[in-house]
Amino acid sequence: MNSLEEEISPQLLRAIEGSRISVVVFSRNYASSRWCLDELVKIIECRQKFDQVVLPIFYDTNPSDIRKQTGRYAKAFDEHEEHFKEEMEKVNRWREALAQAGNLSGWDLNNEANGYEAEFIKKVVSDVACKLGNKTLHVAKHPVGISSRVRGVISLLTGARNNVGIVGIHGIAGIGKTTIAKAVFNYLYSRFEGSSFLSSVKEISDKPNGLVKLQERLLHDILKSKVWKISNVDEGINLIKERLHRKNVLVVLDDVDKREQLEALMVERCWFGNGSKIIVVTKNKHLLTEVEVDGMYHAMELDRDESLQLFSLHAFREIRPKKNYEELSEKVVDYCKGLPLVLKILGSHLSIRDKAGWEIDIPRWQNIPHADIQAKLRVSFDALDVDSSEIFLDIACFFVGQDKDYVEGRLFVKVRLKDCISKNGEKELLHGPSKKRKSASSINNDNNIAVNGNSESSSTDEELSKKPREEIIKAKISRAYVRTEAGDTSLIVKDGYQWGKYGQKVTRDNPSPRAYFKCSFAPSCPVKKKVQRKIDDQSVLVATYEGHHNHPHPSMEAPSGSSRGLPLGFVPCSASLASSWSTITLDLTKSNSSNDAKSSKPKTDTPEVRQFLVEQMASSLMKDPNFTAALAAAISGRMLPQNHTKW
DNA sequence: CGCTTTTGACCCGCGC
DNA sequence: GCGCGGGTCAAAAGCG
Ligand SMILES: [Zn+2]
């Protein structure tokens, strides 16, 4: 190996070895990167040695070009052969790896989702999540009052007399039915032979072929076998009856609103094996009486104490209001009427406002009809609460935000997701919070994996609230590697955000200086990034991001004029997702809703509500605006022109 | 003039 | 306590 510039770091090697799944993105220029090829060789090697799963993504490339190194890949290989005359076996190893990878089944941007990236990414994420097989659902950051409700549901389930127990959870919108159902699911699923949490049944089944999709998903979740292709609902019904009637399963049907949905998914108890449990979540109590459930759980509002606690946890990260905020908090809590959804959102919103801000906002809300606000919040919340945002982001983030200039460049996204809880996962099935911390995938300078997190792992929700929450610095660190033109000496990584440079330093052992930036889009935004050329390859910029933006991606406020949409044309190169992370929120359908949510902005409503929503989105640090931003950006480029899906 | 960028001073934690 | 590396601040310089 002559100039060792493009060595793969030992950390990355280890990350690859430790991965359960590697996702390789074959872009048009993939083959011209020796670095990528070396990485691929390693990945393929691990596939053989450790039986790892390798999933190729054909990003604007043709699988057969990859297999046979034809098309654009041929040209790259001509160069390699020229360059590595002396090391033909290296080149041959590359060819071999490509041949194998090209034969694997993966996703093809052109085939899936009609080439719409946002859809495509969702598909990828959800498939990856399935493959990982971790079904634990994300419950809530602050599960106030969940456990008593969960106990309620479980006792109904165990009390069921029938072979197959069916329990309904009903209650008004925003009350937290789904959250309860998720927690119950988390708590129980491992005791069943198979399990499936079908979220947003209503929403999905409204789409064409939605019920069939749900049936497929049910079969897929429980039988774990490849892909079920069902052509119509009746066929699905038969298939389910036939394949599942001996299985002992746990099924949650979330947000059911029509009888036909139940009929397509579980008409009769005998569909499932002995001991199976079905949970039906619905707003409509009436529906439950029709199917003769064994028990009905009425999800009630939070009481005053719970409300105040939940609100405070979001607003102050403490279980009770800060000094001088007591009365204001009381007002908000009153306004929220015990609805967790509203408490959470308003709490999070206020957490970044000063007292004057509170005094402005609260009366304003009081003028908006409660029902309206709630409906709208739900949409935005669903968008933001997706905890799978991390993975999603990691895969998605660099599908956006690169300038056209980079089309011919290459970019490496590397993601390590730490194995957070897999070991003690059992114990904390019920408790969302620690799971959350998979975001702990921080990568510290020279050692990856900064352990972050299990501090709260075994706390029950009561304990949890008592515990003075130490200032957990959720400095989420992520990196992007961007190849630049030779001779380009700037230290600029265009990601669509606005950055103010506040420092530059020369560092040890690296000829390139390091530049320090702070997000300047919102004065209060805490995000920082460092950019420096790679020590062993000066043509690659390494951008290290730290923190979460508390505002949307600037590109969202697409100023009417200039059609400078999102530059999507860039070419991702290779992403390795390391391993078993704990927290794949399985209900990635949520990421659908996030999509819709974003888009639902134009779905006009009263101006106040919209105004509010916009503001809300802009300032609330709810969750990971990075995610929504990236997503929105991804969508805005490709989807706006043809508003076809449901807006 | 009102901004961003540059750049040396400063600050802080860590190992010796 | 000191020196060092890395991170931040802010005065001064640059820029349109
Ligand atoms: Zn920001």
Side-chain angles (χ1 to χ4, degrees):
Chain A
M1 196 168 310
N2 4 4
S3 67
L4 28 118
E5 24 163 352
E6 296 202 76
E7 279 277 308
I8 295 178
S9 71
Q11 295 96 292
L12 179 56
L13 289 181
R14 253 181 283 128
I16 294 173
E17 285 176 6
S19 295
R20 253 163 52 196
I21 297 187
S22 290
V23 177
V24 183
V25 181
F26 289 108
S27 59
R28 292 153 62 116
N29 290 317
Y30 188 93
S32 46
S33 165
R34 288 143 50 195
W35 192 93
C36 287
L37 291 167
D38 280 336
E39 189 189 27
L40 180 66
V41 169
K42 179 71 189 175
I43 288 171
I44 295 293
E45 187 186 311
C46 286
R47 178 181 126 85
Q48 285 155 354
K49 253 200 266 175
F50 308 118
D51 234 14
Q52 288 178 7
V53 177
V54 176
L55 301 167
I57 292 178
F58 303 102
Y59 186 89
D60 211 9
T61 49
N62 185 338
S64 97
D65 280 352
I66 284 144
R67 273 197 299 279
K68 297 180 293 214
Q69 296 98 57
T70 50
R72 290 179 75 96
Y73 282 39
K75 203 165 140 250
F77 266 82
D78 287 347
E79 280 168 27
H80 292 321
E81 294 194 338
E82 176 62 25
H83 199 267
F84 293 99
K85 276 196 203 95
E86 265 73 65
E87 302 172 74
M88 268 331 237
E89 85 254 21
K90 184 189 186 76
V91 178
N92 286 334
R93 272 206 305 277
W94 290 343
R95 285 190 185 279
E96 175 58 18
L98 282 173
Q100 289 203 30
N103 266 322
L104 298 171
S105 69
W107 306 274
D108 188 338
L109 176 63
N110 295 319
N111 290 349
E112 316 254 359
N114 307 322
Y116 296 124
E117 271 155 273
E119 287 299 320
F120 181 67
I121 294 167
K122 274 189 293 195
K123 175 111 177 57
V124 171
V125 172
S126 114
D127 286 0
V128 170
C130 286
K131 288 263 175 9
L132 281 170
N134 187 330
K135 296 209 170 185
T136 303
L137 303 166
H138 171 60
V139 174
K141 186 153 60 168
H142 305 297
V144 173
I146 299 277
S147 60
S148 64
R149 290 166 171 78
V150 167
R151 277 195 297 274
V153 175
I154 289 177
S155 70
L156 288 176
L157 280 172
T158 46
R161 290 273 160 262
N162 290 297
N163 290 337
V164 174
I166 305 179
V167 166
I169 300 178
H170 67 100
I172 60 174
I175 201 80
K177 297 181 294 294
T178 298
T179 308
I180 298 170
K182 282 180 183 175
V184 172
F185 181 86
N186 285 347
Y187 190 72
L188 294 176
Y189 79 84
S190 58
R191 308 176 193 182
F192 291 83
E193 229 179 293
S195 59
S196 180
F197 190 105
L198 298 177
S199 44
S200 318
V201 168
K202 163 178 150 61
E203 192 188 323
I204 297 173
S205 60
D206 280 346
K207 294 184 186 157
N209 252 347
L211 279 176
V212 170
K213 288 265 151 51
L214 286 165
Q215 291 175 328
E216 286 174 356
R217 169 125 180 239
L218 180 66
L219 286 164
H220 176 263
D221 282 353
I222 291 173
L223 301 170
K224 301 203 185 60
S225 47
K226 349 260 158 266
V227 191
W228 294 88
K229 208 60 218 137
I230 300 173
S231 44
N232 63 58
V233 174
D234 290 329
E235 184 188 333
I237 289 176
N238 289 328
L239 207 50
I240 292 172
K241 262 197 245 178
E242 176 190 324
R243 307 305 296 248
L244 303 185
H245 77 282
R246 295 189 175 285
K247 291 258 180 191
N248 166 248
V249 298
L250 173 67
V251 176
V252 177
L253 306 176
D254 172 47
D255 196 14
V256 176
D257 71 335
K258 296 207 188 68
R259 173 128 199 192
E260 61 177 77
Q261 293 155 7
L262 288 178
E263 284 168 358
L265 297 164
M266 52 145 284
V267 210
E268 288 164 77
R269 291 166 200 274
C270 64
W271 281 27
F272 301 105
N274 261 358
S276 294
K277 303 284 180 200
I278 316 291
I279 298 172
V280 179
V281 178
T282 179
K283 281 174 204 123
N284 182 358
K285 185 176 173 184
H286 190 61
L287 199 64
L288 298 175
T289 52
E290 286 180 38
V291 285
E292 294 169 31
V293 293
D294 296 288
M296 271 191 243
Y297 186 83
H298 186 179
M300 302 290 278
E301 294 80 9
L302 297 178
D303 66 33
R304 231 193 137 67
D305 281 347
E306 290 169 331
S307 294
L308 195 59
Q309 196 180 63
L310 182 59
F311 172 76
S312 304
L313 281 167
H314 282 91
F316 312 108
R317 299 176 191 280
E318 285 164 23
I319 59 163
R320 58 191 73 258
K322 276 217 185 82
K323 205 149 181 46
N324 297 327
Y325 281 87
E326 292 94 345
E327 315 90 287
L328 286 169
S329 300
E330 294 276 330
K331 270 195 196 164
V332 182
V333 167
D334 271 343
Y335 177 70
C336 293
K337 309 258 194 307
L339 296 176
L341 181 65
V342 184
L343 287 160
K344 279 185 212 173
I345 292 179
L346 299 189
S348 307
H349 172 80
L350 292 169
S351 71
I352 54 163
R353 303 276 279 164
D354 56 12
K355 195 159 178 183
W358 285 52
E359 272 153 2
I360 298 168
D361 286 346
I362 296 173
R364 175 136 32 106
W365 295 334
Q366 288 170 337
N367 290 328
I368 304 177
H370 202 264
D372 267 6
I373 210 169
Q374 208 189 304
K376 291 293 101 185
L377 289 185
R378 150 123 266 142
V379 174
S380 78
F381 185 80
D382 281 354
L384 294 167
D385 192 37
V386 179
D387 207 70
S388 57
S389 53
E390 300 292 338
I391 347 162
F392 200 118
L393 212 206
D394 285 331
I395 296 181
C397 64
F398 290 105
F399 276 74
V400 299
Q402 293 311 121
D403 218 304
K404 292 252 162 48
D405 302 354
Y406 288 107
V407 172
E408 292 307 318
R410 292 190 295 271
L411 178 139
F412 318 124
V413 188
K414 281 180 239 120
V415 188
R416 323 263 145 87
L417 290 168
K418 240 218 90 209
D419 174 346
C420 272
I421 54 157
S422 46
K423 272 152 257 145
N424 51 357
E426 280 303 342
K427 257 194 289 183
E428 34 179 2
L429 281 170
L430 188 50
H431 313 294
S434 52
K435 316 257 163 80
K436 263 216 73 189
R437 326 229 84 293
K438 71 141 177 301
S439 54
S441 63
S442 42
I443 303 168
N444 277 346
N445 279 339
D446 284 308
N447 61 15
N448 292 327
I449 29 174
V451 192
N452 188 351
N454 283 346
S455 51
E456 325 163 321
S457 36
S458 52
S459 29
T460 67
D461 74 34
E462 281 84 5
E463 277 165 32
L464 200 139
S465 2
K466 269 183 234 140
K467 209 179 280 180
R469 325 189 109 269
E470 62 267 37
E471 240 52 86
I472 307 154
I473 316 106
K474 40 182 77 185
K476 204 245 149 162
I477 298 181
S478 61
R479 281 187 186 177
Y481 293 64
V482 181
R483 163 137 311 163
T484 59
E485 296 301 332
D488 178 356
T489 94
S490 71
L491 288 171
I492 296 171
V493 174
K494 295 185 191 158
D495 50 20
Y497 285 97
Q498 273 171 242
W499 301 97
K501 190 173 177 184
Y502 67 90
Q504 170 154 328
K505 268 227 121 34
V506 288
T507 57
R508 241 182 83 98
D509 301 331
N510 191 332
S512 153
R514 175 185 301 164
Y516 296 87
F517 300 87
K518 181 177 181 320
C519 177
S520 59
F521 185 74
S524 65
C525 179
V527 179
K528 294 193 184 147
K529 80 169 171 182
K530 293 178 281 196
V531 179
Q532 185 170 30
R533 300 192 165 273
K534 207 157 169 285
I535 191 158
D536 52 4
D537 181 349
Q538 295 284 308
S539 66
V540 175
L541 285 173
V542 183
T544 309
Y545 293 82
E546 196 176 324
H548 298 280
H549 290 281
N550 61 17
H551 55 83
H553 194 278
S555 63
M556 285 198 54
E557 257 82 324
S560 44
S562 64
S563 68
R564 64 156 243 102
L566 256 284
L568 289 160
F570 102 109
V571 189
C573 187
S574 154
S576 274
L577 283 187
S579 87
S580 57
W581 58 69
S582 41
T583 338
I584 297 306
T585 312
L586 226 215
D587 72 338
L588 285 140
T589 55
K590 284 301 184 191
S591 22
N592 289 322
S593 60
S594 62
N595 210 336
D596 298 339
K598 272 276 116 47
S599 355
S600 76
K601 196 165 47 173
K603 196 203 274 173
T604 58
D605 274 296
T606 65
E608 300 94 318
V609 174
R610 276 172 64 195
Q611 153 75 16
F612 169 84
L613 236 194
V614 170
E615 210 178 295
Q616 149 74 30
M617 297 244 194
S619 53
S620 171
L621 84 172
M622 229 17 275
K623 262 269 66 209
D624 189 356
N626 268 326
F627 159 59
T628 17
L631 178 59
I635 300 164
S636 66
R638 289 289 159 95
M639 262 179 172
L640 282 177
Q642 44 81 47
N643 48 356
H644 189 58
T645 33
K646 123 175 182 213
W647 293 105

